[in-house]
Amino acid sequence: MTDKIFHPAKESHEIFEASRLTGDATLEDLESIRKRTSVYVYEAPVRLWHWVNALAITVLCVTGFLIGHPLPTMQISEAYDQFVMGYIRFAHFAAAMILTVGFFGRIYWAFVGNSHARQMFYIPFWNPRFWKEFWFELRWYAFLEKFPKKYVGHNPMAHLAMFFFITLGLSFMLVTGWALYAEGAGQGSLPDTVMGWVLGLVQNSQRLHTLHHLGMWAIVVFMIIHIYAAIREDIMSRQSMVSTMISGHRTFKDDRIE
Protein backbone atom coordinates (compact mmCIF):
# COMPACT_ATOMS: atom_id res chain seq x y z
CA MET A 1 0.00 0.00 0.00
CA THR A 2 1.46 3.31 -1.06
CA ASP A 3 1.24 6.24 1.36
CA LYS A 4 -0.08 9.52 0.04
CA ILE A 5 2.81 11.94 -0.56
CA PHE A 6 2.35 15.21 1.30
CA HIS A 7 3.14 18.42 -0.60
CA PRO A 8 2.96 21.44 1.77
CA ALA A 9 3.33 23.97 -1.02
CA LYS A 10 0.60 22.36 -3.11
CA GLU A 11 -1.79 22.07 -0.17
CA SER A 12 -1.15 25.68 0.84
CA HIS A 13 -1.88 26.76 -2.74
CA GLU A 14 -5.15 24.79 -2.75
CA ILE A 15 -6.20 26.33 0.55
CA PHE A 16 -5.44 29.77 -0.86
CA GLU A 17 -7.42 28.98 -4.02
CA ALA A 18 -10.37 27.73 -1.95
CA SER A 19 -10.33 30.88 0.15
CA ARG A 20 -10.00 33.11 -2.89
CA LEU A 21 -12.85 31.40 -4.74
CA THR A 22 -15.43 30.89 -2.03
CA GLY A 23 -14.54 33.02 0.95
CA ASP A 24 -14.36 30.61 3.91
CA ALA A 25 -14.39 27.39 1.85
CA THR A 26 -12.49 24.32 3.03
CA LEU A 27 -10.74 21.82 0.78
CA GLU A 28 -13.83 19.61 1.03
CA ASP A 29 -15.95 22.55 -0.13
CA LEU A 30 -13.61 23.10 -3.07
CA GLU A 31 -13.85 19.44 -4.07
CA SER A 32 -17.64 19.70 -3.90
CA ILE A 33 -17.53 22.74 -6.17
CA ARG A 34 -15.46 20.77 -8.67
CA LYS A 35 -18.09 18.02 -8.71
CA ARG A 36 -20.99 20.32 -9.42
CA THR A 37 -22.14 20.29 -13.02
CA SER A 38 -24.67 22.32 -14.97
CA VAL A 39 -26.61 21.92 -18.19
CA TYR A 40 -27.84 24.80 -20.34
CA VAL A 41 -31.56 24.04 -20.42
CA TYR A 42 -33.67 27.15 -21.01
CA GLU A 43 -32.59 29.48 -23.81
CA ALA A 44 -33.00 33.26 -23.52
CA PRO A 45 -36.33 33.47 -25.46
CA VAL A 46 -37.86 30.82 -23.18
CA ARG A 47 -36.73 32.65 -20.04
CA LEU A 48 -37.94 36.00 -21.37
CA TRP A 49 -41.31 34.47 -22.26
CA HIS A 50 -41.60 32.92 -18.80
CA TRP A 51 -41.20 36.22 -16.92
CA VAL A 52 -43.26 38.33 -19.35
CA ASN A 53 -45.92 35.63 -19.25
CA ALA A 54 -45.91 35.63 -15.43
CA LEU A 55 -46.33 39.42 -15.33
CA ALA A 56 -49.08 39.40 -17.96
CA ILE A 57 -51.00 36.64 -16.14
CA THR A 58 -50.74 38.53 -12.85
CA VAL A 59 -52.14 41.70 -14.46
CA LEU A 60 -54.88 39.67 -16.17
CA CYS A 61 -55.92 37.92 -12.95
CA VAL A 62 -56.08 41.13 -10.89
CA THR A 63 -57.89 43.18 -13.55
CA GLY A 64 -60.11 40.22 -14.50
CA PHE A 65 -61.24 39.86 -10.90
CA LEU A 66 -62.04 43.58 -10.73
CA ILE A 67 -63.95 43.40 -14.01
CA GLY A 68 -66.02 40.53 -12.62
CA HIS A 69 -66.41 42.25 -9.23
CA PRO A 70 -66.33 46.01 -9.99
CA LEU A 71 -65.17 48.46 -7.38
CA PRO A 72 -67.89 50.46 -5.61
CA THR A 73 -68.58 53.95 -6.94
CA MET A 74 -65.90 56.32 -5.64
CA GLN A 75 -67.14 59.67 -4.46
CA ILE A 76 -63.99 61.54 -5.37
CA SER A 77 -65.25 63.55 -8.31
CA GLU A 78 -67.88 63.66 -11.00
CA ALA A 79 -68.28 60.56 -13.17
CA TYR A 80 -66.86 62.32 -16.23
CA ASP A 81 -63.65 63.11 -14.30
CA GLN A 82 -62.77 59.49 -13.54
CA PHE A 83 -62.13 56.51 -15.75
CA VAL A 84 -61.19 53.79 -13.23
CA MET A 85 -62.95 50.83 -14.85
CA GLY A 86 -61.82 52.05 -18.25
CA TYR A 87 -58.18 51.92 -17.15
CA ILE A 88 -58.72 48.47 -15.59
CA ARG A 89 -60.24 47.16 -18.82
CA PHE A 90 -57.45 48.74 -20.87
CA ALA A 91 -54.80 47.04 -18.70
CA HIS A 92 -56.65 43.73 -19.09
CA PHE A 93 -56.85 44.01 -22.88
CA ALA A 94 -53.22 45.16 -23.21
CA ALA A 95 -51.96 42.28 -21.06
CA ALA A 96 -54.09 39.85 -23.08
CA MET A 97 -52.55 41.06 -26.32
CA ILE A 98 -49.04 40.71 -24.89
CA LEU A 99 -49.94 37.21 -23.67
CA THR A 100 -51.28 36.27 -27.11
CA VAL A 101 -48.19 37.46 -29.01
CA GLY A 102 -45.93 35.82 -26.43
CA PHE A 103 -47.78 32.50 -26.65
CA PHE A 104 -47.48 32.37 -30.44
CA GLY A 105 -43.80 33.29 -30.08
CA ARG A 106 -43.38 30.46 -27.59
CA ILE A 107 -44.97 28.00 -30.03
CA TYR A 108 -42.56 29.19 -32.72
CA TRP A 109 -39.59 28.69 -30.40
CA ALA A 110 -40.73 25.14 -29.68
CA PHE A 111 -39.84 24.37 -33.31
CA VAL A 112 -36.54 26.27 -33.55
CA GLY A 113 -35.26 26.01 -29.98
CA ASN A 114 -33.59 23.11 -28.18
CA SER A 115 -35.39 19.93 -27.11
CA HIS A 116 -36.35 21.39 -23.73
CA ALA A 117 -38.31 24.17 -25.44
CA ARG A 118 -40.74 21.55 -26.77
CA GLN A 119 -41.35 19.73 -23.51
CA MET A 120 -44.49 21.54 -22.38
CA PHE A 121 -46.30 21.01 -25.69
CA TYR A 122 -46.64 17.23 -25.56
CA ILE A 123 -47.06 14.34 -23.11
CA PRO A 124 -45.22 11.04 -23.79
CA PHE A 125 -48.27 8.89 -22.98
CA TRP A 126 -46.58 5.90 -24.68
CA ASN A 127 -43.52 5.95 -22.41
CA PRO A 128 -43.88 3.66 -19.35
CA ARG A 129 -40.81 5.22 -17.71
CA PHE A 130 -42.57 8.61 -17.74
CA TRP A 131 -45.52 7.24 -15.73
CA LYS A 132 -43.26 5.31 -13.38
CA GLU A 133 -41.35 8.50 -12.57
CA PHE A 134 -44.61 10.46 -12.38
CA TRP A 135 -45.80 8.24 -9.53
CA PHE A 136 -42.39 8.55 -7.90
CA GLU A 137 -42.65 12.36 -8.05
CA LEU A 138 -46.17 12.21 -6.64
CA ARG A 139 -44.83 10.28 -3.64
CA TRP A 140 -41.87 12.69 -3.38
CA TYR A 141 -44.16 15.73 -3.24
CA ALA A 142 -46.28 13.92 -0.64
CA PHE A 143 -43.12 13.42 1.51
CA LEU A 144 -43.32 9.62 1.05
CA GLU A 145 -39.93 9.35 -0.66
CA LYS A 146 -36.74 10.17 1.20
CA PHE A 147 -34.51 11.02 -1.75
CA PRO A 148 -35.41 12.86 -4.99
CA LYS A 149 -34.34 12.06 -8.54
CA LYS A 150 -32.38 14.30 -10.91
CA TYR A 151 -34.03 15.98 -13.90
CA VAL A 152 -32.59 18.26 -16.56
CA GLY A 153 -35.92 19.66 -17.78
CA HIS A 154 -39.26 19.43 -15.96
CA ASN A 155 -39.88 16.36 -13.85
CA PRO A 156 -42.89 14.27 -15.06
CA MET A 157 -45.31 15.81 -12.56
CA ALA A 158 -44.30 19.37 -13.49
CA HIS A 159 -44.39 18.32 -17.15
CA LEU A 160 -48.06 17.30 -16.85
CA ALA A 161 -48.93 20.47 -14.92
CA MET A 162 -47.28 22.71 -17.52
CA PHE A 163 -49.06 20.94 -20.37
CA PHE A 164 -52.56 21.10 -18.84
CA PHE A 165 -52.41 24.49 -17.12
CA ILE A 166 -50.15 26.45 -19.48
CA THR A 167 -50.38 24.87 -22.93
CA LEU A 168 -54.06 23.89 -22.74
CA GLY A 169 -55.05 26.35 -20.00
CA LEU A 170 -53.68 29.43 -21.73
CA SER A 171 -55.15 28.28 -25.04
CA PHE A 172 -58.56 28.04 -23.38
CA MET A 173 -58.21 31.48 -21.76
CA LEU A 174 -57.06 33.10 -25.00
CA VAL A 175 -59.91 31.60 -27.02
CA THR A 176 -62.63 32.51 -24.51
CA GLY A 177 -61.09 35.92 -23.80
CA TRP A 178 -60.85 36.91 -27.45
CA ALA A 179 -64.42 35.65 -27.99
CA LEU A 180 -65.61 38.00 -25.25
CA TYR A 181 -63.59 40.84 -26.77
CA ALA A 182 -65.14 40.05 -30.17
CA GLU A 183 -68.60 40.56 -28.69
CA GLY A 184 -67.65 44.07 -27.63
CA ALA A 185 -65.83 44.83 -30.87
CA GLY A 186 -69.03 44.14 -32.80
CA GLN A 187 -70.04 42.05 -35.75
CA GLY A 188 -67.78 42.27 -38.78
CA SER A 189 -64.72 43.27 -36.73
CA LEU A 190 -61.49 41.28 -37.01
CA PRO A 191 -61.89 39.73 -33.50
CA ASP A 192 -65.46 38.76 -34.41
CA THR A 193 -64.35 37.24 -37.71
CA VAL A 194 -61.65 35.16 -36.02
CA MET A 195 -63.31 34.29 -32.68
CA GLY A 196 -67.00 35.11 -33.03
CA TRP A 197 -67.81 31.43 -33.63
CA VAL A 198 -66.95 30.63 -30.00
CA LEU A 199 -69.92 32.63 -28.70
CA GLY A 200 -72.17 30.72 -31.09
CA LEU A 201 -70.68 27.45 -29.85
CA VAL A 202 -71.25 28.31 -26.19
CA GLN A 203 -74.68 29.85 -27.06
CA ASN A 204 -74.69 32.22 -24.12
CA SER A 205 -72.55 35.27 -23.32
CA GLN A 206 -72.97 34.85 -19.57
CA ARG A 207 -71.91 31.21 -19.83
CA LEU A 208 -68.79 32.30 -21.73
CA HIS A 209 -68.01 34.86 -18.99
CA THR A 210 -68.42 32.14 -16.35
CA LEU A 211 -66.12 29.71 -18.17
CA HIS A 212 -63.48 32.43 -18.59
CA HIS A 213 -63.80 33.38 -14.91
CA LEU A 214 -63.44 29.76 -13.77
CA GLY A 215 -60.39 29.43 -16.00
CA MET A 216 -58.86 32.41 -14.21
CA TRP A 217 -59.24 30.70 -10.82
CA ALA A 218 -57.67 27.51 -12.22
CA ILE A 219 -54.66 29.57 -13.35
CA VAL A 220 -54.47 31.25 -9.91
CA VAL A 221 -54.41 27.86 -8.16
CA PHE A 222 -51.72 26.66 -10.57
CA MET A 223 -49.58 29.76 -9.94
CA ILE A 224 -49.72 29.22 -6.15
CA ILE A 225 -48.73 25.55 -6.47
CA HIS A 226 -46.09 26.37 -9.10
CA ILE A 227 -44.36 28.95 -6.88
CA TYR A 228 -44.50 26.65 -3.85
CA ALA A 229 -43.12 23.67 -5.80
CA ALA A 230 -40.31 25.73 -7.38
CA ILE A 231 -39.12 27.05 -4.00
CA ARG A 232 -39.54 23.62 -2.35
CA GLU A 233 -37.53 21.88 -5.06
CA ASP A 234 -34.84 24.58 -4.98
CA ILE A 235 -34.33 23.73 -1.31
CA MET A 236 -34.97 19.98 -1.21
CA SER A 237 -34.10 18.60 -4.66
CA ARG A 238 -30.66 17.80 -6.09
CA GLN A 239 -30.68 20.56 -8.73
CA SER A 240 -31.28 24.30 -8.97
CA MET A 241 -34.77 25.51 -9.78
CA VAL A 242 -35.53 29.24 -9.42
CA SER A 243 -32.11 30.42 -10.59
CA THR A 244 -32.38 28.14 -13.63
CA MET A 245 -35.16 30.31 -15.05
CA ILE A 246 -32.86 33.32 -14.64
CA SER A 247 -29.55 31.96 -15.91
CA GLY A 248 -30.84 29.12 -18.08
CA HIS A 249 -28.45 26.64 -16.44
CA ARG A 250 -29.63 23.69 -14.37
CA THR A 251 -26.97 23.20 -11.70
CA PHE A 252 -26.72 19.83 -9.95
CA LYS A 253 -25.79 19.45 -6.30
CA ASP A 254 -24.07 16.07 -6.56
CA ASP A 255 -22.33 13.97 -9.20
CA ARG A 256 -24.52 10.87 -8.97
CA ILE A 257 -26.65 10.04 -12.03
CA GLU A 258 -29.84 8.82 -10.32
Side-chain angles (χ1 to χ4, degrees):
M1 182 175 179
T2 305
D3 293 332
K4 184 178 178 180
I5 300 174
F6 177 66
H7 296 286
K10 181 180 178 182
E11 185 159 337
S12 298
H13 176 71
E14 288 185 345
I15 293 173
F16 170 76
E17 285 296 314
S19 176
R20 185 172 67 85
L21 285 171
T22 58
D24 60 347
T26 64
L27 289 176
E28 289 78 13
D29 293 332
L30 186 60
E31 188 60 29
S32 175
I33 292 169
R34 287 176 179 147
K35 287 181 179 179
R36 293 181 71 167
T37 57
S38 67
V39 178
Y40 187 57
V41 181
Y42 300 122
E43 298 160 303
V46 174
R47 304 198 307 273
L48 177 64
W49 171 80
H50 175 274
W51 295 112
V52 171
N53 202 50
L55 180 60
I57 289 174
T58 302
V59 171
L60 284 164
C61 288
V62 173
T63 55
F65 176 82
L66 293 173
I67 290 170
H69 301 80
L71 295 168
T73 302
M74 294 179 291
Q75 302 299 324
I76 56 176
S77 64
E78 293 296 330
Y80 58 78
D81 284 332
Q82 51 185 328
F83 195 61
V84 177
M85 285 305 299
Y87 289 129
I88 290 172
R89 282 165 54 84
F90 172 78
H92 191 80
F93 297 154
M97 292 174 186
I98 292 171
L99 189 77
T100 303
V101 173
F103 192 62
F104 279 104
R106 183 65 180 83
I107 293 172
Y108 166 76
W109 198 258
F111 289 98
V112 301
N114 63 19
S115 61
H116 304 292
R118 295 187 284 276
Q119 190 180 20
M120 76 174 210
F121 290 100
Y122 73 97
I123 298 294
F125 292 103
W126 56 89
N127 189 340
R129 182 179 175 86
F130 175 85
W131 296 109
K132 180 181 178 181
E133 294 189 355
F134 169 78
W135 291 114
F136 178 91
E137 286 302 306
L138 191 62
R139 296 193 303 274
W140 163 246
Y141 279 107
F143 298 97
L144 299 177
E145 293 286 345
K146 293 183 179 180
F147 205 65
K149 290 180 177 289
K150 275 183 173 181
Y151 293 98
V152 176
H154 294 298
N155 67 56
M157 197 168 180
H159 188 164
L160 276 176
M162 292 295 290
F163 177 77
F164 283 106
F165 284 95
I166 299 299
T167 304
L168 298 185
L170 283 189
S171 297
F172 174 82
M173 294 302 287
L174 289 173
V175 168
T176 54
W178 278 105
L180 290 169
Y181 188 82
E183 185 181 25
Q187 291 186 343
S189 64
L190 180 60
D192 179 65
T193 303
V194 178
M195 286 296 176
W197 59 271
V198 179
L199 184 59
L201 183 66
V202 177
Q203 300 177 345
N204 186 299
S205 179
Q206 183 57 49
R207 186 178 299 161
L208 189 59
H209 274 276
T210 301
L211 290 172
H212 193 66
H213 197 70
L214 289 174
M216 178 202 76
W217 284 115
I219 295 294
V220 169
V221 171
F222 167 76
M223 287 175 65
I224 294 170
I225 296 174
H226 177 64
I227 293 170
Y228 159 74
I231 296 174
R232 176 187 186 273
E233 290 301 281
D234 210 61
I235 297 169
M236 298 179 64
S237 75
R238 296 159 62 200
Q239 57 269 332
S240 64
M241 197 64 57
V242 178
S243 62
T244 300
M245 198 46 74
I246 297 173
S247 68
H249 287 268
R250 178 84 72 203
T251 303
F252 298 96
K253 301 174 185 178
D254 60 54
D255 58 350
R256 291 185 348 211
I257 296 174
E258 285 292 335

